[in-house]
Amino acid sequence: MKNESGEASVEEENQEQPKEAGKFIKVKKFTFIMGIFLLIFLTAGITTIALTFGDEKVESLAPDKHSEFEKLFSTYDTIKGNYYKDIDEDKLVDGAINGMIKSLDDPYSAYMDKKEASSFHESISSSFEGIGAEIQEQDGHIAVVSPIKGSPAEKAGIKPNDIVLSVDGKSVKGLSSSEAVLKIRGEKGTKVKLTISRAGETDPIEFTIKRDTIPIETVYAEMLDDGVAKIQVTSFSEHTVDELKTSLEEMSKKDMKGLVLDLRGNPGGLLDQAIDMASLFIPNGEVVLQVENRSGKKEVYKSNNDGALKKVPVVVLIDDGSASASEIVAAAVRESADIPLVGVKSFGKGTVQTAEDFDDGSNFKYTAAKWLTPDGNWIHKKGIKPDIEVKLPDYASLPYISPDKELKASDSSSEVKAAEKMLKEAGHDPGKIDGFFDEDTTNAVKAFQRDQKIKETGIIKDDTTVKLMQVIRDKILENDTQLKKAVEVVKKDIK
């Protein structure tokens, strides 16, 4: 059994045994949905059956004691006996389980067939092939939680809260997150076309992204000026805390005097890793989080800090891509260790999922509980407001322009307007920013192409588009207003 705190297609650890992170319980499908597989026995004339689970005996699962299954039995028998074509019984059972879970109307609960389950397991392994974006089903749509750092999705310009309308021209509306993942993932070197709807954009945006190997390296450390270290954690997988400890030790050897823990764009992951990570910064015995089941019973998890790591001033960075496990850490360190949060409001996922494997390789996960902050707050669909709100510059929100699309003189579109803004930020004045590709725009494009040693065509396409967006990304990194504020706050506490 594996619990997850950040979804999309991966995440959390059992609320009662959070350290059992790599162990999935294998269960038979009739154990999960007894009535469905009982059909096979009923059609053979058997009406009573006893099953044994350890020392516990469960008797008489016949319809008279489980009348809620009668419609299901009848439907199965009718289809099996009278449908005009031969049926795949396994597929029929899979559909029944899938329908049951979908009826929960919960974007974090899902049934996965063998292929989908394999993809689920890859999400917490050492690497997988795809575009590197965490997604979730949201009100019948597929929404991006966050792209993975350094992934093709991030480089292409995929952003948190983007809605995926179609994959390779086929609509994904109504699909589960695991079904959508299978369509988006693929072999390294192949391409996938995503059509995205983005808030603030009138028209859908098309992305053509080349798939690559996505390594699950989750911790990136660097020493900034004046002894301030920055450590970015991009997700919570099986070895994240070990990676973080190693990075902290490396930074300590470089005379770390303060730390910025960057959880921006972190979609979450395994609950046990979130608990152990928060414990590194919270005094031993202080509350990390509470997990509450449907009866209201709360399980309280406390810090197991052994005091081995060097204590320095810490600030945590969050944004709208910080979800679930990263929100657990952010809330815990603020409420139990008085560590300030800088950035913008987080995503807002306050539930815990449990995942279980069937013995045929399929899998299902369901929401088993909700988690609360140390002070008992439930942040679900609300997010966490930072102590110090800092936004990135406006140009950080400029939309993606597909390199495959040609923008040239006399064109008029939202893409042209975005390109004009990019050109201006890149130091080349396109004249009036109005979405019309006029002579001033052409001259600005040629000047940009000269600077970048690209053939001067005055047309925005291919290399010109890629270079233009890269210049903007570099400028965002150079002028990371959120990081600058976090460093400023940390330095005030360095003695």
Side-chain angles (χ1 to χ4, degrees):
M1 184 180 295
K2 180 159 281 194
N3 284 359
E4 38 178 88
S5 66
E7 141 66 82
S9 27
V10 301
E11 305 152 90
E12 264 146 347
E13 224 3 43
N14 186 289
Q15 62 268 25
E16 296 181 358
Q17 295 176 320
K19 294 186 179 181
E20 292 297 307
K23 301 178 181 177
F24 282 72
I25 292 177
K26 298 241 179 201
V27 296
K28 292 185 180 294
K29 288 185 181 177
F30 62 76
T31 304
F32 168 61
I33 185 168
M34 297 173 289
I36 293 179
F37 265 44
L38 184 57
L39 293 168
I40 299 171
F41 296 91
L42 290 172
T43 53
I46 299 173
T47 58
T48 303
I49 185 170
L51 301 178
T52 301
F53 300 87
D55 296 327
E56 187 177 343
K57 195 174 183 182
V58 180
E59 296 196 22
S60 191
L61 301 180
D64 61 336
K65 288 197 175 183
H66 290 273
S67 59
E68 65 270 24
F69 286 110
E70 286 181 0
K71 285 198 297 184
L72 188 60
F73 298 156
S74 176
T75 302
Y76 180 92
D77 284 340
T78 299
I79 292 174
K80 185 177 178 182
N82 301 316
Y83 191 65
Y84 83 106
K85 293 193 296 186
D86 290 337
I87 62 167
D88 183 331
E89 293 181 16
D90 288 340
K91 191 173 182 180
L92 207 59
V93 172
D94 285 349
I97 299 173
N98 195 33
M100 183 182 295
I101 294 176
K102 280 190 172 182
S103 73
L104 297 172
D105 195 24
D106 176 13
Y108 304 112
S109 297
Y111 171 70
M112 292 164 268
D113 62 24
K114 187 174 181 179
K115 189 174 181 181
E116 292 167 343
S118 175
S119 178
F120 172 84
H121 288 295
E122 283 181 359
S123 299
I124 51 175
S125 66
S126 59
S127 66
F128 61 91
E129 293 183 352
I131 67 169
E134 297 286 352
I135 62 172
Q136 70 166 28
E137 188 275 330
Q138 191 177 82
D139 298 326
H141 299 283
I142 298 299
V144 175
V145 176
S146 185
I148 295 172
K149 178 180 171 66
S151 67
E154 184 195 48
K155 292 174 182 176
I158 297 291
K159 296 181 181 295
N161 300 310
D162 280 349
I163 301 297
V164 182
L165 301 177
S166 66
V167 178
D168 288 332
K170 295 182 179 179
S171 173
V172 294
K173 186 175 182 180
L175 296 186
S176 68
S177 59
S178 54
E179 290 170 332
V181 163
L182 283 182
K183 293 183 177 296
I184 296 171
R185 281 191 182 175
E187 292 183 4
K188 175 182 178 179
T190 61
K191 292 182 179 180
V192 61
K193 184 171 77 173
L194 303 185
T195 303
I196 297 288
S197 173
R198 178 174 293 167
E201 295 298 318
T202 304
D203 300 319
I205 309 168
E206 288 191 351
F207 294 77
T208 300
I209 305 172
K210 182 182 287 187
R211 300 178 176 104
D212 202 348
T213 299
I214 312 299
I216 307 300
E217 180 182 351
T218 60
V219 178
Y220 300 82
E222 61 178 306
M223 185 61 75
L224 306 178
D225 297 332
D226 302 320
V228 177
K230 175 200 167 191
I231 299 182
Q232 183 176 13
V233 181
T234 59
S235 66
F236 290 77
S237 59
E238 291 178 338
H239 305 293
T240 296
V241 173
D242 289 337
E243 289 180 45
L244 178 59
K245 287 179 178 178
T246 298
S247 294
L248 286 169
E249 289 169 359
E250 290 174 353
M251 294 297 102
S252 292
K253 290 176 182 178
K254 295 181 179 180
D255 197 24
M256 174 178 63
K257 295 181 175 65
L259 170 67
V260 174
L261 181 65
D262 190 352
L263 299 180
R264 292 176 297 177
N266 183 323
L270 300 176
L271 180 60
D272 69 324
Q273 295 291 300
I275 293 171
D276 289 347
M277 181 180 294
S279 293
L280 297 177
F281 305 99
I282 296 174
N284 188 50
E286 294 294 322
V287 177
V288 173
L289 86 157
Q290 306 174 57
V291 176
E292 181 179 327
N293 64 19
R294 69 180 179 186
S295 67
K297 182 181 178 181
K298 295 177 183 177
E299 198 77 27
V300 178
Y301 295 98
K302 297 183 178 181
S303 169
N304 54 11
N305 191 332
D306 60 9
L309 293 171
K310 177 182 177 181
K311 291 183 178 180
V312 297
V314 179
V315 170
V316 174
L317 280 171
I318 60 171
D319 68 3
D320 56 354
S322 304
S324 202
S326 53
E327 291 175 297
I328 288 173
V329 173
V333 298
R334 176 164 70 179
E335 294 182 5
S336 291
D338 295 323
I339 290 174
L341 308 180
V342 173
V344 295
K345 188 173 71 171
S346 64
F347 182 82
K349 179 179 180 289
T351 56
V352 177
Q353 281 67 49
T354 292
E356 296 184 356
D357 283 342
F358 290 118
D359 58 355
D360 65 351
S362 60
N363 170 290
F364 79 101
K365 62 175 181 171
Y366 62 96
T367 299
K370 60 184 181 182
W371 67 264
L372 310 176
T373 70
D375 291 344
N377 299 312
W378 196 35
I379 59 91
H380 197 60
K381 296 185 178 180
K382 300 174 186 175
I384 301 170
K385 291 184 179 180
D387 300 289
I388 304 172
E389 183 174 3
V390 182
K391 297 180 180 179
L392 291 173
D394 289 342
Y395 53 79
S397 299
L398 286 173
Y400 171 83
I401 303 172
S402 172
D404 295 332
K405 188 162 187 176
E406 183 177 276
L407 305 179
K408 60 185 185 305
S410 298
D411 284 349
S412 180
S413 67
S414 59
E415 287 97 337
V416 171
K417 190 171 184 178
E420 289 175 325
K421 291 179 179 179
M422 290 181 190
L423 286 164
K424 186 170 183 179
E425 293 298 337
H428 300 283
D429 188 3
K432 185 178 180 181
I433 297 177
D434 54 5
F436 181 68
F437 205 123
D438 56 17
E439 185 178 353
D440 288 336
T441 308
T442 301
N443 291 334
V445 172
K446 288 182 177 180
F448 175 78
Q449 290 171 328
R450 280 197 300 273
D451 279 357
Q452 298 296 322
K453 296 181 172 53
I454 302 171
K455 183 179 179 182
E456 291 182 40
T457 62
I459 297 171
I460 301 175
K461 189 183 179 183
D462 298 332
D463 288 348
T464 300
T465 307
V466 172
K467 285 285 188 181
L468 189 55
M469 290 191 293
Q470 183 61 55
V471 167
I472 298 302
R473 279 197 293 269
D474 291 344
K475 187 169 183 178
I476 294 169
L477 292 175
E478 290 169 7
N479 190 27
D480 189 336
T481 50
Q482 294 170 339
L483 176 59
K484 287 179 178 179
K485 173 55 73 172
V487 170
E488 177 188 321
V489 174
V490 166
K491 284 183 177 180
K492 289 179 180 178
D493 292 330
I494 294 176
K495 296 178 181 178

